[in-house]
Amino acid sequence: AQSVTQLDSQVPVFEEAPVELRCNYSSSVSVYLFWYVQYPNQGLQLLLKYLSGSTLVKGINGFEAEFNKSQTSFHLRKPSVHISDTAEYFCAVTFPNAGNMLTFGGGTRLMVKP
Amino acid sequence: DTEVTQTPKHLVMGMTNKKSLKCEQHMGHRAMYWYKQKAKKPPELMFVYSYEKLSINESVPSRFSPECPNSSLLNLHLHALQPEDSALYLCASARSPDEQYFGPGTRLTVT
């Protein structure tokens, strides 16, 4: 069965510092990978996705992620964070031809401090 | 139009009430989803509709009853809920194999 692990439940960081949110998945077959962001009292918004092709994926709001098949990881990075990036971040996977059934990680709370 | 809308935004209901949550999308997506999300937790899948037919029910209690009247609309009928059903209910739509688009959610409080 597939599973997703977000290693850090909370990540505090100062404004303008770089940040990396870690995501590892377990699967014996190819997967599609996603990062979603959820601001307080809102739904989930897609930051970026990896379906195939280049392993470095650029998303919205200056975020990027790198797919590493050998390490089964899909870590999210941003070189310089803003206060407005404070939110909950979810990594998710799905199999191709699996009806878009998403398996979510437990979430990482990014807290950007001034 | 890349938006999924949900109404109402907030709902407070008693344990004997009957209410409905509504979700709408006009992106032509043929897969629609209901999720339940408790505080500080990821969304949990409840139901999946594919081409207006219920394809997945993740062992959800019968007090939750989904309905898909047409390809743009998804309802969740609620009856005899329990206080532990209080949560954020999220609707999403998708076209395979692309990402799911989420609505803003309905914050449900059961008193």
Side-chain angles (χ1 to χ4, degrees):
Chain A
Q2 57 183 337
S3 65
V4 181
T5 302
Q6 292 183 241
L7 296 164
D8 306 297
S9 60
Q10 294 185 68
V11 173
V13 62
F14 286 106
E15 193 173 19
E16 297 184 7
V19 71
E20 178 180 83
L21 305 184
R22 296 181 291 171
C23 173
N24 286 89
Y25 67 93
S26 173
S27 175
S28 58
V29 298
S30 296
V31 296
Y32 295 156
L33 295 150
F34 306 86
W35 274 100
Y36 285 88
V37 60
Q38 186 174 32
Y39 299 103
N41 298 312
Q42 294 189 26
L44 277 67
Q45 179 183 10
L46 183 74
L47 280 177
L48 46 80
K49 62 185 176 184
Y50 173 79
L51 303 182
S52 65
S54 172
T55 58
L56 183 61
V57 180
K58 294 191 183 298
I60 62 171
N61 301 342
F63 284 93
E64 64 179 35
E66 185 153 21
F67 170 57
N68 188 317
K69 188 175 182 180
S70 63
Q71 297 187 7
T72 60
S73 68
F74 191 55
H75 300 333
L76 181 70
R77 301 184 184 100
K78 187 170 182 176
S80 176
V81 296
H82 303 289
I83 296 287
S84 58
D85 292 323
T86 295
E88 191 80 22
Y89 292 78
F90 293 101
C91 182
V93 303
T94 187
F95 290 134
N97 302 318
N100 281 35
M101 295 280 292
L102 285 172
T103 299
F104 285 95
T108 297
R109 174 80 176 158
L110 177 63
M111 298 174 293
V112 182
K113 300 179 288 186
Chain B
D1 182 3
T2 58
E3 191 179 20
V4 177
T5 60
Q6 289 188 245
T7 54
K9 192 173 176 63
H10 300 276
L11 178 63
V12 179
M13 61 185 290
M15 289 189 283
T16 58
N17 292 159
K18 287 184 181 181
K19 297 287 185 182
S20 297
L21 309 185
K22 180 180 174 181
C23 172
E24 194 165 2
Q25 59 90 10
H26 295 286
M27 294 178 279
H29 293 168
R30 304 315 294 266
M32 295 186 76
Y33 308 77
W34 279 116
Y35 290 88
K36 174 183 177 180
Q37 186 180 27
K38 301 287 272 187
K40 302 187 189 301
K41 297 290 186 184
E44 299 173 22
L45 183 66
M46 300 174 73
F47 303 104
V48 180
Y49 272 83
S50 180
Y51 290 88
E52 300 163 48
K53 294 190 189 311
L54 183 65
S55 60
I56 294 174
N57 176 340
E58 291 287 322
S59 303
V60 179
S62 59
R63 57 185 184 269
F64 295 91
S65 175
E67 178 196 21
C68 190
N70 60 55
S71 60
S72 300
L73 280 175
L74 186 65
N75 297 320
L76 186 63
H77 302 299
L78 315 172
H79 173 54
L81 294 193
Q82 304 297 311
E84 60 264 29
D85 296 322
S86 298
L88 181 68
Y89 287 84
L90 294 165
C91 174
S93 70
R95 65 175 190 276
S96 184
D98 218 326
E99 76 271 15
Q100 293 184 22
Y101 290 81
F102 284 82
T106 293
R107 176 73 60 188
L108 174 67
T109 302
V110 182
T111 60

